[in-house]
Amino acid sequence: MSAKPVVLRALAKGDVDDAVRHYLQEGAADAALGFIDALEQALGRIGRHPGIGSPRYAHELDLPGLRAWPLTGFPYLAFYVERPNQVDVWRVLHAARDVPAWMQDAGTPR
């Protein structure tokens, strides 16, 4: 089985930019690079195994198909939906945020 392409939607790209900017502003360039590496590893994994993520928030938010996968070593979750030909990443959020409120900004992934 080959991996599906993983596409970051606009809000997810903004989330990634914000996280990297935060680490850089804190003087933690190594953390910023580590975050990008962890994100790339997570995206590779969900591209190869889209069903691996937790459906917890799909139930909480009534968004069928929504899954979340953690970034190793960082307190972030990638929220995504598997499509027939790709995986759409809707958000990359800090786990301490109010996820339901932030996901409402992403629209309904249907």
Side-chain angles (χ1 to χ4, degrees):
M1 173 197 274
S2 61
K4 288 186 176 185
V6 178
V7 178
L8 268 68
R9 298 177 68 80
L11 286 172
K13 288 178 184 178
D15 295 335
V16 171
D17 290 345
D18 289 346
V20 169
R21 187 177 310 111
H22 168 75
Y23 287 121
L24 293 174
Q25 288 173 346
E26 294 296 316
D30 287 344
L33 290 173
F35 174 81
I36 294 298
D37 286 343
L39 176 63
E40 288 175 355
Q41 289 176 17
L43 298 180
R45 179 161 287 199
I46 64 175
R48 289 186 306 276
H49 308 285
I52 198 168
S54 170
R56 170 187 169 195
Y57 290 100
H59 300 298
E60 286 185 22
L61 299 169
D62 193 27
L63 296 174
L66 180 70
R67 292 188 175 272
W69 184 254
L71 276 62
T72 302
F74 292 85
Y76 284 84
L77 298 168
F79 292 89
Y80 66 94
V81 174
E82 181 181 8
R83 301 288 186 203
N85 298 317
Q86 69 187 34
V87 176
D88 287 338
V89 177
W90 285 79
R91 301 299 303 255
V92 179
L93 298 175
H94 194 286
R97 290 195 174 166
D98 179 355
V99 170
W102 283 86
M103 286 303 296
Q104 287 178 359
D105 292 342
T108 304
R110 297 184 197 252

